[in-house]
């Protein structure tokens, strides 16, 4: 492999990692729960999430997958809770 090809591969790897970092930071900012709750649900360290958010650490694909799965589980819980409330409103009897 030539140095040029190696350099291009390295650049594309860093570009991919940068996109992943940006996606994680956006997800952390917009998550409907605290960083602590999200870390607990994902089974990863709250400190790690804070370091990723500040740019001091990088997010591995495993970390991104854990966050994605945690957010999916939380979304399902919120959806079920919302449905319970909708059903309660539909079934209430007006005085």
């Amino acid at each position: 492999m030539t140095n040029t090809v190696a350099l291009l591969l390295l650049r594309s790897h860093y570009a991919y990692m940068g996109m992943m970092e940006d996606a994680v930071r956006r997800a952390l900012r917009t998550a409907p729960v605290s960083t602590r709750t999200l870390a607990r649900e994902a089974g990863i360290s709250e400190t790690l999430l804070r370091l990723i958010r500040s740019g001091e650490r990088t997010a591995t694909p495993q970390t991104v997958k854990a966050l994605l799965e945690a957010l999916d589980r939380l979304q399902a819980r919120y959806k079920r809770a919302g449905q319970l409330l909708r059903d309660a409103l539909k079934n209430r009897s007006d005085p």
Side-chain angles (χ1 to χ4, degrees), residues 12-81:
S12 67
H13 172 74
Y14 282 119
Y16 170 75
M17 292 300 287
M19 288 186 323
M20 221 170 26
E21 299 296 319
D22 290 343
V24 170
R25 286 188 194 104
R26 282 193 309 272
L28 291 172
R29 276 195 312 269
T30 61
V33 295
S34 68
T35 301
R36 175 180 291 169
T37 300
L38 185 54
R40 188 178 313 125
E41 184 69 30
I44 57 180
S45 160
E46 179 183 359
T47 301
L48 175 61
L49 288 185
R50 292 186 188 285
L51 291 171
I52 292 170
R53 189 174 56 204
S54 70
E56 296 177 53
R57 291 284 302 268
T58 58
T60 65
Q62 293 84 2
T63 301
V64 174
K65 185 177 180 200
L67 289 170
L68 171 64
E69 291 170 353
L71 287 167
D72 283 345
R73 283 190 302 274
L74 290 167
Q75 178 185 18
R77 283 186 209 149
Y78 290 141
K79 188 174 182 177
R80 282 192 303 272

